[in-house]
Amino acid sequence: MADDSQFDSLAELYVDFSELPFRRYLEVPSVLDLVGPTDGLKILDYGCGSGVYARMLARSGTASVVGLDESAGMLEYAKRREAKERSGIKYFCGKLSTQLRESFDLVLAHYILPYAHDYCELVAICQSAADALRPGQRLATSVVSPTLHSDPEYYSRYGFRITVPGPLADGLPLGLNLRFGAHDEYVTGYYWTPATVEKALIEAGFINITWHHYRPIETNDIDAAFLQPYLDAPHSVGIEAIKAPRPASPVCERVYTPKITPTAAIAEVTDGMVETQARVRPPVTPAPIHSPHVLRADSVVLVAGSSRKSVKGDVIAWNPFVQFLGRFGWLGGLLEWFGWRRSVAR
């Protein structure tokens, strides 16, 4: 991802951010609803950051959770929490390793696609998610919504501000200011149109792409009017996609062909019909042949025009005079029939 170092010192900020009412009553429940039942699943939290969602998923006790992120600072915090809480989460820093490929039933990639700074990186992130999944399994992710409001202060009541420098278009940089309590930090993300996001997902091997809008949970702990402006113009939207199953292997009719190593051939010439018999025997080294009119056969008998080539053992011989007369059609054949050719004994 683009400039992962911008997150190294923000681990505690993201933990505190997850406790804000907007996230507790709207965003987090919506993401967990997108994830769905986790019983018996092996889950990768791709771009896990400080491990907020990894810990939530591990608390169910029925899922095996792995966290992966490229920010060493974020993972250092997540590992410290894991050492204290012992939730059974395994954390890895860097790119997806070979040992993790096609190991998971679900990949959660929350807020990771918006940090791709160009289309190639967007596809690469989608491809890594696909590589982690077993065929036929699910990706749950999120991107910046096309309903994003252009007023930087519009989302300030929810603890963040977004600077939109121009009309929404692919690759447009967005300034995210996380400002709440004692926190006031900036990170840079990027906008990608729904068409481009779907193109990248399809290119990475995903099918059945479905978009999900966030919905608040029903509770009396928060005034519905507080969340309504966000629901009118949400800054984020969820996506579910399926890694395409492997195509079935083609059904082939297997034909048994015995492996024969012919080392000798016997041919009989009968009215222009060549009958060849092959017999198997240990290979032998042929004696050198110096006649310019004798060629060694490789278990094949050839008939070219009216000049027939006879085989005895694995030696082919022909009479060049008869070959010359063979150009006259029936005359060459007649002369050859009466034996006007030289026989070469092996």
Side-chain angles (χ1 to χ4, degrees):
M1 293 185 298
D3 190 16
D4 299 294
S5 62
Q6 69 176 328
F7 300 100
D8 285 347
S9 61
L10 303 181
E12 292 188 11
L13 179 149
Y14 274 90
V15 172
D16 294 342
F17 187 48
S18 66
E19 296 298 325
L20 293 181
F22 155 72
R23 297 202 75 185
R24 289 178 59 191
Y25 300 112
L26 176 60
E27 187 177 88
V28 170
S30 296
V31 171
L32 295 179
D33 184 60
L34 180 62
V35 167
T38 60
D39 293 359
L41 299 184
K42 187 173 182 181
I43 302 173
L44 174 65
D45 187 359
Y46 181 29
C48 63
S50 56
V52 171
Y53 281 103
R55 287 188 292 275
M56 291 181 184
L57 295 171
R59 286 186 192 122
S60 66
T62 59
S64 173
V65 182
V66 172
L68 176 67
D69 204 286
E70 295 182 16
S71 170
M74 285 281 201
L75 283 180
E76 184 180 350
Y77 176 90
K79 290 178 179 179
R80 287 201 308 267
R81 288 283 298 265
E82 174 58 25
K84 293 179 180 179
E85 300 173 13
R86 299 187 179 277
S87 303
I89 305 170
K90 296 180 180 179
Y91 289 105
F92 296 89
C93 185
K95 305 289 185 181
L96 184 76
S97 65
T98 302
Q99 71 182 92
L100 297 179
R101 290 177 181 269
E102 295 199 347
S103 300
F104 299 95
D105 307 299
L106 174 71
V107 169
L108 172 62
H110 185 56
Y111 286 157
I112 183 173
L113 299 185
Y115 294 109
H117 69 276
D118 59 28
Y119 180 73
C120 289
E121 189 171 12
L122 182 66
V123 174
I125 294 172
C126 295
Q127 187 64 63
S128 293
D131 291 343
L133 285 167
R134 297 186 180 98
Q137 303 305 313
R138 294 192 306 126
L139 166 68
T141 187
S142 56
V143 296
V144 177
S145 172
T147 61
L148 177 68
H149 204 284
S150 59
D151 181 1
E153 296 295 324
Y154 188 81
Y155 303 103
S156 60
R157 71 180 71 189
Y158 307 118
F160 63 96
R161 293 161 175 79
I162 299 179
T163 301
V164 184
L168 294 179
D170 283 328
L172 179 71
L174 303 173
L176 174 62
N177 174 209
L178 298 168
R179 189 190 305 175
F180 61 95
H183 299 291
D184 189 4
E185 300 288 347
Y186 290 82
V187 295
T188 300
Y190 300 86
Y191 177 78
W192 297 101
T193 62
T196 298
V197 171
E198 291 197 3
K199 179 182 177 184
L201 288 168
I202 292 171
E203 191 170 333
F206 286 101
I207 58 174
N208 299 347
I209 301 168
T210 308
W211 296 72
H212 296 263
H213 294 288
Y214 290 169
R215 300 180 182 277
I217 60 174
E218 296 183 3
T219 178
N220 295 325
D221 295 337
I222 189 172
D223 185 0
F226 174 76
L227 296 176
Q228 192 57 51
Y230 182 87
L231 297 175
D232 293 339
H235 86 293
S236 181
V237 61
I239 303 173
E240 179 184 19
I242 306 296
K243 179 178 178 178
R246 287 195 185 96
S249 301
V251 179
C252 301
E253 180 182 355
R254 302 190 63 176
V255 179
Y256 173 70
T257 303
K259 185 176 181 180
I260 300 177
T261 306
T263 59
I266 300 175
E268 297 176 358
V269 180
T270 307
D271 293 336
M273 301 296 293
V274 179
E275 298 176 358
T276 304
Q277 296 175 336
R279 65 175 179 264
V280 179
R281 69 183 184 190
V284 296
T285 303
I289 299 175
H290 304 289
S291 170
H293 307 309
V294 178
L295 298 177
R296 184 160 302 282
D298 187 15
S299 305
V300 178
V301 178
L302 303 176
V303 178
S306 62
S307 177
R308 300 187 181 90
K309 300 174 185 179
S310 60
V311 178
K312 182 176 182 181
D314 55 353
V315 178
I316 298 178
W318 78 92
N319 189 311
F321 176 68
V322 174
Q323 184 181 27
F324 171 76
L325 291 180
R327 300 179 182 177
F328 298 95
W330 66 270
L331 179 58
L334 181 62
L335 291 174
E336 186 177 8
W337 179 264
F338 283 101
W340 284 63
R341 61 194 179 102
R342 181 176 61 182
S343 299
V344 178
R346 187 173 182 178

